[in-house]
């Protein structure tokens, strides 16, 4: 028994020792997959380990300080910024962190590309009036708030998804730049966002096919979302109010549900000398109901359209790398293709007056796709305009752009009759129907200077002067109601052209 026990224990010890020795033997490690440079698509791309997909990561950090307006994007042409009183901010600031990724995979059908551009942005807010009587003045804050995290925000910062698309075999699916817009969009040479005169920068959901004919010649055909990017206002003038008219809204906005996307076609020639582009777009106008419910009826649908020509000339005689960018646009029932969506579409700008009995002066006007009244059809609004810039490089670190834009809004005689039928009696226009003309011109001139001390780091100063040229009879007055939100009293105001001067200072690091 003792012998058997000794044999069993001895065998266990042998096997245990053998196991320990086996565990101590070196095991061959798996090869480490190092990130490899991908040279197929330009600088900055790397292979994702274990795949044949290349990726490029990028982004920017930006801080802006804008003087003379409540909005980063636009001039002081409405609301608190244009009120010019104690509720008006003298400056607005914004900080932004933006991240991008760009992936490319070669396939038998061509390159599959995905692209994402997203940003967190924190912007100064404002205090609007909330008082209800002459002795209980009060204000409330609107805008990003410290620590006010909620839907779509972190630490009070708003999340923006700028681009998110897939490209495959000539098709683009997702949120990308409109094929109507030129490559410089509403920035021919500026950082100021509020330029009319052509298609805008803001990306839009779309399905697009692009044909490449070689030698820099391409054509694109696109179906893109019209809401909200490419719709201004469809005004039911029967719903106009004194408060709305005082702010430049010529009726109740009465837009129905989406029925058809905007259809866009574009032809582009992009060569060493520069670029030429022609774009056209169709835009369906689908209004809601005349009244509170579907039994009240509705106006019939109509189609609007827009056409644009763009030209860029490179390496002009003023210096190496200098360029001229210019574009012109005409719209009928598709005003967003001129007054792009970083711009406001209702204007109420206040200033001084020399008219006896008037409290102040007011420049008022609005942009729409169409207007109608109960029981009648839509009247399409016509606009046209242009923008452009001369871009000059002083040396590799300094550059200056001189830029400008001009746009016009024109209502037909029937639409004017609808608008003036509400405007004249509601606001007691002193010149009556004869002096009532809701047409307007809108212009911007500016200069921007850029300093790039090192690659990817730039500092910008952009000075812009904006002019609202209204067409109501000179010397006319209106009587406005109390507007608590901007602290304007109920009083008589002279109708007069107005202007706005803004200065944008920007520091930006791109990688």
């Amino acid at each position: 028994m003792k012998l058997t026990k000794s044999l069993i224990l001895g065998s266990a010890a042998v096997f245990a020792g053998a196991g320990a020795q086996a565990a101590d033997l070196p095991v061959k490690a798996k090869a480490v997959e190092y990130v490899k440079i991908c040279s197929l698509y330009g600088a900055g791309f790397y292979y994702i380990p274990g795949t044949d997909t290349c990726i490029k990561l990028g982004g920017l950090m930006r801080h802006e300080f804008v003087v003379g307006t409540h909005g980063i994007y636009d001039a002081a042409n409405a609301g608190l910024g244009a009120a010019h009183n104690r509720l008006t901010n003298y400056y607005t600031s914004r900080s932004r962190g933006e991240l991008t990724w760009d992936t490319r995979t070669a396939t038998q059908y061509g390159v599959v590309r995905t692209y994402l551009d997203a940003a967190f942005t924190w912007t100064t807010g404002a205090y609007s009036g909330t008082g209800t009587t002459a002795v209980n003045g009060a204000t409330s804050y609107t805008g990003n708030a410290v620590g006010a995290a909620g839907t779509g925000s972190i630490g009070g910062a708003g999340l923006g998804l700028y681009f998110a698309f897939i490209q495959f075999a000539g098709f683009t699916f997702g949120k990308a730049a409109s094929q109507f817009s030129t490559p410089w969009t509403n920035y021919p040479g500026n950082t100021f966002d509020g330029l009319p005169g052509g298609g805008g920068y803001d990306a839009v959901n779309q399905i697009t096919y692009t044909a490449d004919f070689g030698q820099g010649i391409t054509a694109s055909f696109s179906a893109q979302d019209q809401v909200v990017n490419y719709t201004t206002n469809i005004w039911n003038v029967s719903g106009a109010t004194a408060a709305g008219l005082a702010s430049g809204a010529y009726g109740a906005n009465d837009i129905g549900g989406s029925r058809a996307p905007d259809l866009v076609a574009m032809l582009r020639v992009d060569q060493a000398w520069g670029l030429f582009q022609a774009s056209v777009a169709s835009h369906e106008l689908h209004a809601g109901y005349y009244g509170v419910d579907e039994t009240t009826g509705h106006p019939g649908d109509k189609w609007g359209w827009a056409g644009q020509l763009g030209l860029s000339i490179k390496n002009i005689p003023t210096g190496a790398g200098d360029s001229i960018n210019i574009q012109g646009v005409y719209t009928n029932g598709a005003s967003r293709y001129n007054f792009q969506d970083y711009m406001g579409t209702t204007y109420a700008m206040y200033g001084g007056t020399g008219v006896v009995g008037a409290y102040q002066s007011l420049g008022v006007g609005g942009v729409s796709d169409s207007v109608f009244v109960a029981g009648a059809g839509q009247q399409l609004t016509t606009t046209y305009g242009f923008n452009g810039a001369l871009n000059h490089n002083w040396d590799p670190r300094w550059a200056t752009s001189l830029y400008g834009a001009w746009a016009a809004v024109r209502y037909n005689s029937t639409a004017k009759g609808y608008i003036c039928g509400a405007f004249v009696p509601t606001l007691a226009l002193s010149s009556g129907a004869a002096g009532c003309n809701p047409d307007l011109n809108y212009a911007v001139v500016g200069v921007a200077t850029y300093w790039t001390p090192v690659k990817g780091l730039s500092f910008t100063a952009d000075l812009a002067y904006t002019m609202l040229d209204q067409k109501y009879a000179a010397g006319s007055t209106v009587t406005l109601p109390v507007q608590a939100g901007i602290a304007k009293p109920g009083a008589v105001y002279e109708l007069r052209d107005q202007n706005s001067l803004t200065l944008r200072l920007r520091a930006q690091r791109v990688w």
Side-chain angles (χ1 to χ4, degrees):
M1 185 68 180
K2 289 182 178 180
L3 178 61
T4 304
K5 184 177 180 181
S6 299
L7 289 171
I8 293 172
L9 292 174
S11 299
V14 169
F15 283 116
Q21 291 174 6
D24 291 339
L25 291 175
V27 178
K28 187 176 181 180
K30 293 182 65 177
V32 176
E33 293 190 57
Y34 294 97
V35 176
K36 296 185 296 183
I37 293 174
C38 175
S39 59
L40 298 174
Y41 310 109
F45 280 90
Y46 296 87
Y47 283 101
I48 299 174
T51 75
D52 58 357
T53 297
C54 300
I55 187 169
K56 181 178 182 179
L57 301 177
L60 64 83
M61 296 296 292
R62 176 189 296 168
H63 179 72
E64 293 174 301
F65 186 90
V66 184
V67 180
T69 179
H70 266 252
I72 292 290
Y73 295 117
D74 208 353
N77 55 28
L80 292 169
H84 301 301
N85 58 24
R86 293 186 62 84
L87 302 188
T88 301
N89 286 351
Y90 282 1
Y91 69 90
T92 300
S93 64
R94 178 175 68 179
S95 294
R96 169 173 292 168
E98 189 168 335
L99 296 174
T100 65
W101 79 54
D102 188 347
T103 71
R104 315 281 179 95
T105 306
T107 74
Q108 63 268 39
Y109 300 100
V111 175
V112 177
R113 181 190 185 197
T114 63
Y115 186 82
L116 178 76
D117 184 343
F120 280 105
T121 302
W122 200 99
T123 307
T124 301
Y127 289 90
S128 56
T130 58
T132 56
T133 70
V135 294
N136 76 332
T139 61
S140 64
Y141 179 82
T142 56
N144 290 129
V146 177
T151 303
S153 70
I154 294 180
L159 174 62
L161 181 62
Y162 296 146
F163 295 87
F165 61 81
I166 301 168
Q167 290 180 320
F168 173 70
F171 286 93
T172 298
F173 307 91
K175 195 169 189 281
S178 171
Q179 303 305 310
F180 186 88
S181 297
T182 57
W184 59 89
T185 63
N186 51 302
Y187 303 102
N190 50 294
T191 64
F192 176 73
D193 302 281
L195 254 62
Y201 169 84
D202 211 7
V204 59
N205 286 338
Q206 62 188 268
I207 299 175
T208 296
Y209 179 74
T210 299
D212 190 337
F213 302 107
Q215 298 184 335
I217 302 173
T218 58
S220 295
F221 304 91
S222 180
Q224 69 179 34
D225 190 7
Q226 63 161 266
V227 180
V228 167
N229 300 58
Y230 286 93
T231 300
T232 58
N233 301 288
I234 296 178
W235 276 324
N236 181 348
V237 182
S238 296
T241 65
L245 293 169
S247 68
Y250 290 134
N253 214 353
D254 199 357
I255 302 171
S258 299
R259 288 295 184 270
D262 285 9
L263 304 177
V264 178
M266 179 271 287
L267 176 66
R268 180 180 294 168
V269 179
D270 189 355
Q271 298 174 342
W273 61 267
L275 178 145
F276 171 79
Q277 179 175 315
S279 313
V280 294
S282 63
H283 177 75
E284 187 192 28
L285 295 132
H286 180 75
Y289 295 101
Y290 290 132
V292 68
D293 62 55
E294 60 189 35
T295 66
T296 59
H298 59 82
D301 293 356
K302 287 192 174 182
W303 282 86
W305 66 278
Q308 176 180 267
L309 296 176
L311 178 67
S312 178
I313 303 175
K314 303 175 183 177
N315 298 316
I316 58 177
T318 54
D322 289 6
S323 64
I324 293 176
N325 297 326
I326 189 169
Q327 59 188 351
V329 65
Y330 183 95
T331 76
N332 183 244
S335 300
R336 267 296 183 216
Y337 289 94
N338 186 353
F339 290 80
Q340 43 83 22
D341 71 334
Y342 284 166
M343 298 182 63
T345 55
T346 56
Y347 312 120
M349 305 170 69
Y350 290 86
T353 182
V355 173
V356 176
Y359 175 72
Q360 287 179 344
S361 63
L362 168 69
V364 66
V367 184
S368 67
D369 288 350
S370 70
V371 301
F372 66 90
V373 294
Q378 298 184 72
Q379 301 296 316
L380 306 191
T381 305
T382 296
T383 79
Y384 43 89
F386 69 90
N387 65 48
L390 167 64
N391 304 303
H392 174 62
N393 296 289
W394 301 101
D395 61 34
R397 291 185 173 86
W398 288 91
T400 297
S401 296
L402 299 174
Y403 63 88
W406 179 90
V409 178
R410 298 293 182 262
Y411 294 93
N412 65 31
S413 58
T414 303
K416 288 178 179 176
Y418 295 162
I419 294 170
C420 292
F423 193 91
V424 173
T426 305
L427 299 186
L429 180 65
S430 63
S431 56
C436 180
N437 184 353
D439 293 347
L440 64 87
N441 298 332
Y442 192 96
V444 181
V445 293
V447 57
T449 296
Y450 305 86
W451 178 44
T452 307
V454 296
K455 183 179 180 181
L457 177 65
S458 64
F459 298 90
T460 306
D462 192 335
L463 185 68
Y465 182 71
T466 302
M467 296 156 282
L468 175 65
D469 173 19
Q470 62 177 20
K471 299 302 179 183
Y472 292 101
S476 296
T477 62
V478 290
T479 301
L480 303 186
V482 174
Q483 299 172 82
I486 59 174
K488 289 298 179 184
V492 174
Y493 292 79
E494 176 196 6
L495 293 181
R496 194 166 77 181
D497 299 345
Q498 304 289 341
N499 55 73
S500 170
L501 182 66
T502 62
L503 172 64
R504 169 176 292 186
L505 303 175
R506 171 186 286 179
Q508 179 170 287
R509 173 74 167 95
V510 179
W511 64 89

